[in-house]
Amino acid sequence: MSGIVSGGLISGIDTQGIIEQLIQVASRPRILAQQRLAQLQSQQAAFLDINSRLSSLASTISTFRTQSLFEGKLASTSNEDVVTATASSSAAEGQFSLQVNRLVSSQLVVSRGFADRDSTPIGASEFTFEPASASIAIDTALSELNGGSGITRGSFNLTSGGTTVTVDTSALATVGELVEAINDAGSSLSITASFDGGQFQINNNSGSTLTITNASSTDVLNSLGLVSGTPILNGNFAIGGVVYQLESTTSLSSLNDGNGVYIDDRDIGTARRDMTLTYNDGSSDVTFDINIGSIWESITPAGGGDPVLTETRGRPTNLGQVVDRLNEEFTDQGANITASIDAASGAISFTTTGGHSIVSFNEVSGRSTARDLGLDTAVVAANSTGTGGQLLSTDSTRLVRTLNGGNSIGGGTLDVQTRNGDTFTITLPTGSSTPQTISDLVSTLNADATNAGRLTFTYNSTTENIDVTDTTSGANNLIITGAAGDDLAAGLGISTGTAGVAANTFSGGRPEGQYIANSTLLSSLRGGAGIGTGTFQITDGDGQTADVTIGSDDNNIFDVITKINNAQVSGGGSLGVSARINDAGDGIVIENTATGTAAIIAADTSGNVASRLNLSGTSSSTGGSGSDNKLDGSFEETVTFEASATLDDVAQAINDAGVGVRASIISDGSPTSPFRLSLTAEESGTAGRFLLDTGTFDLGEATFDEGQDARVVLGATQNGAGFLISSNTNTIDNAIPGLSINLVRASETVETISVETDVNSIVSAANSFTEAFNEILDRIDEQTRFVEDTGERGALLGDGTIIALRNRLFNSITATTPNNGDFDRLTDVGFSFESEGRLSFDEQEFREALEQDANSVTNLFTLREIDSSFGTEEILPGVTVTDPNAETTFSQLGLLPSLEELLNDYTSSLNGIITRRNNAIDTQIQGQQDRIDQLTLQLDNERARLEAQFVGLETSLAGLQQQQSALGSLSGSLGTLG
């Protein structure tokens, strides 16, 4: 029986106290075990504390290496109110000059005023928005002149009648801007400039001799084809040399008004081809494949083995490389044809000999390479010379061949009735006399003998229309039409219809310029935002569906077209649709080719590719193959309005349509018509520019900002020289490698960006290293302390592992790295031990060492080269095996990387010295805990035994007491009897 609380009820003995005293005596082994357990736990905590700080020091050391601190660069600018900069480790040290010409802006168009914004319908029915790339005006970049080498930046003077004006070309980007700058500067002198045929022309109407001279130390005029100091007499032209023409260095991307040349990057293999050529060898036609793109060959590796398909020559990037490739193909096939570049015609020229003739170049698999190179019209007789189509416009207007989707502007005739009743037909010349550009076309129409000056045609660069003026007099309507089904008048936007117009002048619609082609990069769409990646589902007229997935390896429009045309329905078989560039050349069109008549559908299932290609939706028509059942992904967006639409309604409809233009209503505060529609491009810079067509509705719009790219003249000097950089944001990355430049405001002052090693970051890390090293020493001292006065001891007092660690730390800091330049130890570069045994760091001495021999200092902190033979073992001559468990060995180690490896020896979670010690302590702790548990059980059993003994004693005493009481009662009874 247990549960005795105090003294015995019978004996009066303090049994509890006796038991506790006996248990206390018996508990001494357990107390000793508990004390040992506490000691082990304190040691373990101390080791973990030191291990943590060692890991922290190792991390601090690795920062020098992993974050490439010694390669880090710091950029500063002479005026942060104008420009700021940040540098990556790849930036070159030095100073760079620049002048911020202007910040980026967005196109802004503002309408005429309206009396109210939300009550009166304005009468507009629809507005059409289109990217400015649809423009028929071509403004050639100055960087494309002189075979792509651009112009020399600087300034030149125009002097006439004792007056001098200066034209600065430093921040001009295009030919049009330069012509405008000359006209603005020379307006007071009656001097005008133009650009035609790849030449600058200066017209002097000043009344005095005009002299043009360089104003800067650079020869600007020579790069413009003009000679410095040449006098131009009053009323004469100075026509410069040709600075823009088709050359071998002309980039393929600049051809066809910037639409480029399609070459299939996906076609890989020895049999790849981009087009075919049919020629006649004098007796019969011969057809062979022509490869313009990459050349692949099966090459056997040097060490033997199966042949590997290898790209031995990449795709060409300029026209000279294309011509070389054509001539190689002609030679390989035995065709007596030679290709060359005809700068005068702006086309590829062919010469045939030996009775051979060119019959035709033909496209392959829906591609457009032959046409993009102008070869679709190249037919050359035997022993003759001929050219393909013109590839480059040199007069700032589009090529005729890129109008209306690159298809055709119509047949070669215009049927005319003038106001005085004359009727005649203007017929465009054919062959080599066929007009190639809009400017050529207008000149041809004006020079037509049948026309005889009765109609004057003018290209309006502002509205981008062709304006027609009837010089006759009469009351008849002016009528201009083309042939039915092949309407030249409609193609040029000058068709009046058969009814004509009762006016002497007529300005029709703007001809459509192609800006979406097979070669158009997907990344260039939507103002450079691209279309992303994703999957969309197409449903054909039969109701069949197929998924089209556009990934990161799809680069251009033709890749998308190919994916659509190759789409397979579930279970196999082709989808009943066909994709191509649409007739306007401004998007992809998907047409139903199935026999079913259901409207075709395209819908995004992941991503927004279909919607960003303007293909998402349901066809507005139904019908089988050959019908108008199609989805036209034109980037020309039309926003329609209700008849009751107010100014607010118009703005809301534009914003809801997502056409890349943000509409708002502003008030100019006028008392009568204060409200104006403001239209702002959502994309900044030239990439966001848009064209607006309001139809017959007079919006009275004015462009207040065309949308300009930010411009910086790099290498600028005060005399205006330098290199022009443009950006559609105010941040310019990698114009100087490794440097990101942020433009704050425009300034006429030349500023400086200085790039230098980021010593401050290195110094900060060195200070952190010093602090982390000393912190470990402090913790070691704390854990190994002995206070003589109090007898206080650290948990690791006398521990051999910690004593060895301290010694190794000191040794590593004072070690030497041989063959390391000027400095081979830390004490050479500002580190030393103070009298109290702590590491100190002299920042100034460290900076001086960096200036003296940065490579030597860098090696001390970062040199860490793994042995090339690490992990391998030669088991037989020439036969090696890899040991995955081999320890890393190094061919070279700097001082701090060596310390880092030492720290890893201690802290490694697998077999680090402290890890192993901690595991040993864990074992001891567990052993002590098991012993304590055993002793506790023994004490519990002893307590139960003692308690049982005392219970037995009390029970015995109680029995004796009962016997005594019974005997007493018996004695009393006997006495009574006696």
Side-chain angles (χ1 to χ4, degrees):
M1 178 178 181
S2 62
I4 299 174
V5 178
S6 56
L9 296 176
I10 304 301
S11 65
I13 299 173
D14 183 6
T15 57
Q16 184 64 31
I18 294 171
I19 291 173
E20 291 299 329
Q21 290 178 25
L22 292 172
I23 292 298
Q24 186 174 0
V25 172
S27 296
R28 287 176 182 172
R30 188 176 71 169
I31 293 172
L32 292 175
Q34 288 172 332
Q35 290 173 345
R36 178 56 179 160
L37 176 62
Q39 182 184 37
L40 290 170
Q41 289 173 333
S42 295
Q43 289 177 351
Q44 187 176 58
F47 273 118
L48 291 175
D49 175 44
I50 290 177
N51 189 75
S52 173
R53 296 176 196 280
L54 290 175
S55 296
S56 178
L57 176 59
S59 177
T60 301
I61 294 172
S62 69
T63 298
F64 290 101
R65 174 172 48 81
T66 59
Q67 296 186 12
S68 304
L69 289 183
F70 285 90
E71 299 175 8
K73 302 297 190 301
L74 184 66
S76 59
T77 63
S78 55
N79 189 345
E80 292 191 349
D81 291 335
V82 175
V83 61
T84 62
T86 55
S88 70
S89 60
S90 62
E93 294 189 39
Q95 289 191 329
F96 308 92
S97 62
L98 58 80
Q99 184 254 325
V100 182
N101 175 258
R102 71 185 182 203
L103 301 184
V104 73
S105 65
S106 298
Q107 182 175 351
L108 173 63
V109 174
V110 179
S111 74
R112 61 179 169 86
F114 292 85
D116 64 74
R117 59 182 293 172
D118 56 6
S119 58
T120 305
I122 67 170
S125 58
E126 64 180 33
F127 290 172
T128 298
F129 297 87
E130 194 164 16
S133 48
S135 169
I136 62 172
I138 300 296
D139 198 359
T140 304
L142 292 174
S143 60
E144 293 183 15
L145 303 187
N146 298 304
S149 61
I151 68 167
T152 300
R153 299 285 170 176
S155 55
F156 59 90
N157 291 331
L158 304 170
T159 302
S160 178
T163 301
T164 298
V165 295
T166 301
V167 178
D168 186 359
T169 69
S170 300
L172 302 179
T174 67
V175 166
E177 289 178 1
L178 178 53
V179 168
E180 183 180 1
I182 295 174
N183 291 336
D184 288 346
S187 60
S188 61
L189 304 180
S190 297
I191 296 167
T192 58
S194 61
F195 186 77
D196 190 23
Q199 302 164 289
F200 287 99
Q201 301 179 7
I202 308 295
N203 184 22
N204 177 24
N205 290 315
S206 65
S208 304
T209 299
L210 170 68
T211 303
I212 308 176
T213 56
N214 285 310
S216 59
S217 59
T218 55
D219 193 354
V220 182
L221 291 175
N222 184 57
S223 69
L224 298 178
L226 300 170
V227 179
S228 178
T230 299
I232 305 173
L233 300 180
N234 177 36
N236 284 344
F237 277 104
I239 300 178
V242 175
V243 292
Y244 185 56
Q245 62 183 356
L246 203 64
E247 300 184 49
S248 61
T249 55
T250 301
S251 66
L252 297 184
S253 60
S254 66
L255 302 181
N256 300 310
D257 298 333
N259 286 316
V261 175
Y262 176 75
I263 299 175
D264 191 354
D265 290 324
R266 291 176 177 270
D267 192 358
I268 296 174
T270 55
R272 79 172 307 282
R273 57 181 184 163
D274 292 294
M275 67 183 84
T276 66
L277 168 64
T278 299
Y279 77 100
N280 188 283
D281 63 4
S283 59
S284 62
D285 288 350
V286 180
T287 299
F288 63 87
D289 295 335
I290 293 180
N291 175 16
I292 297 296
S294 302
I295 292 179
W296 295 80
E297 297 180 58
S298 293
I299 297 179
T300 301
D306 294 332
V308 178
L309 191 62
T310 305
E311 184 181 19
T312 57
R313 290 174 62 182
R315 58 170 290 172
T317 58
N318 61 45
L319 193 60
Q321 294 168 343
V322 169
V323 169
D324 289 344
R325 191 72 63 81
L326 286 172
N327 286 327
E328 290 171 7
E329 295 278 6
F330 297 156
T331 299
D332 290 344
Q333 296 296 328
N336 294 330
I337 304 170
T338 302
S340 61
I341 296 172
D342 186 351
S345 66
I348 297 176
S349 174
F350 298 94
T351 299
T352 59
T353 59
H356 290 191
S357 61
I358 294 177
V359 177
S360 64
F361 286 91
N362 309 293
E363 303 291 4
V364 173
S365 303
R367 304 172 190 178
S368 59
T369 309
R371 186 189 182 285
D372 292 345
L373 290 170
L375 306 184
D376 56 327
T377 60
V379 178
V380 183
N383 306 322
S384 183
T385 298
T387 65
Q390 186 170 334
L391 300 175
L392 199 68
S393 172
T394 58
D395 61 17
S396 300
T397 61
R398 267 189 184 270
L399 295 171
V400 172
R401 64 197 298 269
T402 68
L403 296 179
N404 297 319
N407 296 302
S408 172
I409 57 171
T413 61
L414 293 176
D415 293 323
V416 179
Q417 174 187 290
T418 57
R419 298 295 308 274
N420 68 352
D422 290 348
T423 59
F424 56 91
T425 298
I426 299 175
T427 302
L428 293 180
T430 58
S432 60
S433 299
T434 300
Q436 298 292 314
T437 68
I438 291 289
S439 180
D440 289 342
L441 179 61
V442 168
S443 297
T444 300
L445 293 174
N446 286 328
D448 182 76
T450 304
N451 178 24
R454 285 175 285 186
L455 294 184
T456 300
F457 298 86
T458 306
Y459 167 62
N460 189 327
S461 60
T462 301
T463 61
E464 299 193 355
N465 298 329
I466 296 176
D467 296 335
V468 184
T469 300
D470 187 336
T471 62
T472 69
S473 59
N476 294 299
N477 281 357
L478 170 64
I479 301 174
I480 305 174
T481 59
D486 195 13
D487 196 336
L488 174 61
L492 295 176
I494 58 175
S495 176
T496 63
T498 55
V501 293
N504 293 330
T505 60
F506 175 72
S507 180
R510 175 175 58 83
E512 294 282 349
Q514 180 181 17
Y515 58 93
I516 299 294
N518 283 339
S519 56
T520 300
L521 296 177
L522 301 180
S523 59
S524 70
L525 301 178
R526 301 172 61 244
I531 64 170
T533 58
T535 300
F536 59 96
Q537 187 180 81
I538 301 176
T539 305
D540 65 15
D542 287 336
Q544 300 181 108
T545 63
D547 289 338
V548 176
T549 298
I550 303 302
S552 57
D553 58 339
D554 293 301
N555 298 316
N556 51 49
I557 286 290
F558 192 74
D559 288 343
V560 177
I561 290 174
T562 302
K563 285 279 184 77
I564 295 173
N565 289 333
N566 292 339
Q568 297 288 300
V569 300
S570 178
S574 298
L575 191 67
V577 298
S578 176
R580 59 178 176 85
I581 302 292
N582 65 12
D583 293 339
D586 60 9
I588 296 173
V589 61
I590 303 176
E591 298 168 309
N592 182 37
T593 59
T595 56
T597 60
I600 62 173
I601 303 169
D604 285 305
T605 56
S606 68
N608 299 288
V609 171
S611 61
R612 289 171 176 170
L613 287 170
N614 300 320
L615 292 172
S616 179
T618 302
S619 173
S620 59
S621 300
T622 58
S625 179
S627 67
D628 201 31
N629 187 3
K630 63 184 179 182
L631 294 170
D632 192 340
S634 170
F635 279 86
E636 178 182 277
E637 302 274 5
T638 298
V639 183
T640 58
F641 314 115
E642 300 288 342
S644 59
T646 65
L647 201 61
D648 273 350
D649 294 333
V650 168
Q652 187 63 51
I654 293 172
N655 290 332
D656 290 345
V659 295
V661 176
R662 185 172 58 257
S664 61
I665 309 300
I666 60 175
S667 174
D668 62 14
S670 65
T672 54
S673 300
F675 299 105
R676 298 174 182 266
L677 179 66
S678 173
L679 301 172
T680 306
E682 292 182 348
E683 294 288 336
S684 58
T686 56
R689 288 180 179 176
F690 60 90
L691 302 175
L692 171 64
D693 184 358
T694 61
T696 59
F697 178 75
D698 179 18
L699 186 61
E701 70 271 19
T703 300
F704 286 90
D705 194 321
E706 293 181 343
Q708 303 285 2
D709 288 338
R711 286 187 185 171
V712 167
V713 182
L714 292 178
T717 60
Q718 293 298 348
N719 68 5
F723 179 74
L724 184 67
I725 296 293
S726 300
S727 172
N728 64 348
T729 71
N730 286 325
T731 298
I732 299 176
D733 292 324
N734 291 320
I736 300 174
L739 204 60
S740 179
I741 303 171
N742 181 51
L743 311 181
V744 180
R745 66 175 174 84
S747 171
E748 295 182 357
T749 303
V750 175
E751 305 296 346
T752 300
I753 298 176
S754 299
V755 179
E756 58 187 358
T757 299
D758 188 3
V759 178
N760 290 337
S761 293
I762 302 173
V763 168
S764 176
N767 273 314
S768 296
F769 162 71
T770 304
E771 293 171 2
F773 188 88
N774 286 333
E775 186 174 359
I776 288 180
L777 297 181
D778 290 340
R779 297 310 297 169
I780 290 176
D781 287 350
E782 174 68 18
Q783 299 297 349
T784 60
R785 72 190 182 280
F786 175 73
V787 182
E788 188 173 355
D789 293 342
T790 63
E792 183 182 356
R793 297 167 176 264
L796 300 178
L797 177 63
D799 186 273
T801 299
I802 297 303
I803 293 173
L805 170 62
R806 185 186 183 94
N807 291 335
R808 294 181 71 181
L809 289 174
F810 275 99
N811 291 338
S812 66
I813 290 296
T814 56
T816 300
T817 300
N819 304 318
N820 192 48
D822 292 347
F823 311 113
D824 57 12
R825 63 187 67 192
L826 284 182
T827 53
D828 294 336
V829 295
F831 291 89
S832 61
F833 280 105
E834 300 171 344
S835 58
E836 59 271 22
R838 291 297 178 270
L839 187 65
S840 66
F841 174 60
D842 187 325
E843 180 179 322
Q844 184 59 36
E845 186 177 349
F846 182 77
R847 290 177 181 272
E848 292 172 357
L850 272 175
E851 290 183 7
Q852 179 179 332
D853 189 350
N855 187 62
S856 177
V857 178
T858 301
N859 284 342
L860 284 174
F861 283 77
T862 66
L863 183 60
R864 186 175 186 269
E865 292 184 0
I866 296 177
D867 195 325
S868 59
S869 62
F870 157 65
T872 61
E873 180 182 357
E874 187 174 20
I875 58 175
L876 292 172
V879 180
T880 60
V881 295
T882 300
D883 180 3
N885 300 316
E887 293 187 7
T888 306
T889 57
F890 300 91
S891 57
Q892 294 189 84
L893 270 179
L895 198 148
L896 257 64
S898 179
L899 174 57
E900 183 182 354
E901 291 305 308
L902 166 64
L903 297 172
N904 290 335
D905 286 344
Y906 278 85
T907 61
S908 170
S909 61
L910 294 177
N911 58 358
I913 294 172
I914 291 181
T915 300
R916 295 198 304 269
R917 186 63 188 277
N918 184 60
N919 291 339
I921 294 175
D922 270 339
T923 301
Q924 293 180 61
I925 287 175
Q926 186 60 51
Q928 290 298 321
Q929 188 62 60
D930 291 344
R931 177 168 171 73
I932 290 169
D933 291 343
Q934 183 181 11
L935 290 171
T936 300
L937 180 61
Q938 291 174 356
L939 289 173
D940 288 343
N941 291 337
E942 179 65 14
R943 180 185 295 276
R945 186 185 66 79
L946 292 172
E947 288 177 348
Q949 286 181 342
F950 277 103
V951 169
L953 174 62
E954 289 296 323
T955 301
S956 297
L957 289 176
L960 292 172
Q961 190 176 49
Q962 288 177 355
Q963 290 177 8
Q964 183 180 23
S965 177
L967 289 173
S969 298
L970 179 60
S971 176
S973 299
L974 291 174
T976 303
L977 292 174

